Amino acid sequence: MNLEAGLVAAVLLGTSWEFLKIGHTCLVDAGLICWIALAMAAGLDRKYLLSGLAMGLAFLSKGPVGVILPGAALGIFLLWERRGDVPKALLGLLPGLLISALWLWALHQRGDAWDAYWQDQFRRTGIRVEHAAPVYAYLGYLVTDFAPWSLLIPFLIWKLVRGGVSAVFRFPLTWFLSSLLLLSLVTSKRGLYLVPAFPALALRRAAIFRGGWIRRALAAARAVRWCAGALVR
């Protein structure tokens, strides 16, 4: 991954339908997406304490999913890559677990709020389910919510089957597929639940659009910035 891929991924993500809609709506999911993305990026860069801290903030945004999704994705990725710093990664979880534990302890001091919180969590997992949907529901959500870039999914599947998974794409692939699997196991399903995994999809699709035009656009942007700076001086 480099600046070029990151720029293309940002454009793809920012123009996907559900991400764009969440960005214009007052939802806690916006914070969840931000902190999960930071947790994943920090984990990839071996900054595990920062990753754990971001997971804790993701927990404060929307509960246990903020720790479970990035924790599972990073764990699978580290095992796949056979990195030798798995113990360091586990220690890095401590800030997130501490933040979560302190918040839950404070919530427990208020009995009614504690009961209401866990009832809300259980409604998503099988007890008094809201937004119940079959296990394959996210495949349909993916087509509509990541539009228009979901049109590239068949091409990406073809590339994976034909060329396999290169080392550089193990990270976004692990991030997305682990999130998709875990969320599919939960009875309650909504399209916005999958959006925290959209940055991974954007990174995977960025490879298709990389090319000389991106470098020229970056050069033009730097020239404009230099001219603007010269005028300000």
Side-chain angles (χ1 to χ4, degrees):
M1 300 297 173
N2 51 31
L3 176 62
E4 184 179 324
L7 178 63
V8 175
V11 172
L12 297 181
L13 180 63
T15 53
S16 62
W17 169 245
E18 190 67 23
F19 187 88
L20 191 63
K21 187 169 70 173
I22 289 175
H24 289 77
T25 311
C26 186
L27 292 172
V28 297
D29 299 84
L32 179 70
I33 296 166
C34 171
W35 298 123
I36 286 182
L38 177 59
M40 294 300 297
L44 177 64
D45 203 28
R46 290 184 166 90
K47 298 176 180 177
Y48 297 121
L49 287 176
L50 177 59
S51 180
L53 177 62
M55 289 186 202
L57 295 174
F59 176 91
L60 294 182
S61 296
K62 204 171 181 179
V65 68
V67 176
I68 294 172
L69 291 185
L74 280 174
I76 295 172
F77 173 71
L78 292 177
L79 292 174
W80 193 356
E81 287 286 289
R82 297 181 181 178
R83 287 189 180 181
D85 51 358
V86 173
K88 289 178 61 178
L90 292 175
L91 287 175
L93 289 174
L94 290 179
L97 296 177
L98 179 61
I99 291 172
S100 304
L102 288 173
W103 188 87
L104 288 173
W105 175 81
L107 185 68
H108 188 262
Q109 306 310 303
R110 305 182 61 180
D112 293 342
W114 173 263
D115 294 338
Y117 175 77
W118 288 112
Q119 287 173 10
D120 179 68
Q121 296 298 316
F122 287 143
R123 275 200 296 269
R124 297 190 177 98
T125 55
I127 301 176
R128 291 190 297 168
V129 175
E130 295 179 353
H131 311 296
V135 69
Y136 53 82
Y138 281 115
L139 298 179
Y141 287 135
L142 180 61
V143 172
T144 57
D145 294 346
F146 200 65
W149 310 115
S150 52
L151 296 174
L152 299 174
I153 290 176
F155 178 71
L156 290 173
I157 294 175
W158 175 77
K159 284 194 69 175
L160 284 174
V161 172
R162 185 168 178 245
V165 182
S166 61
V168 72
F169 289 122
R170 288 176 185 172
F171 176 70
L173 188 66
T174 303
W175 180 357
F176 176 73
L177 289 182
S178 63
S179 299
L180 177 64
L181 176 61
L182 288 172
L183 291 170
S184 296
L185 295 176
V186 177
T187 308
S188 178
K189 297 178 180 65
R190 297 176 66 190
L192 62 85
Y193 294 167
L194 188 61
V195 178
F198 278 10
L201 275 181
L203 285 171
R204 185 64 187 89
R205 282 155 176 73
I208 297 176
F209 293 96
R210 292 170 59 190
W213 69 273
I214 291 292
R215 288 187 288 274
R216 290 191 290 271
L218 287 173
R222 284 192 289 268
V224 170
R225 184 179 62 183
W226 183 88
C227 293
L231 290 173
V232 169
R233 294 193 192 98

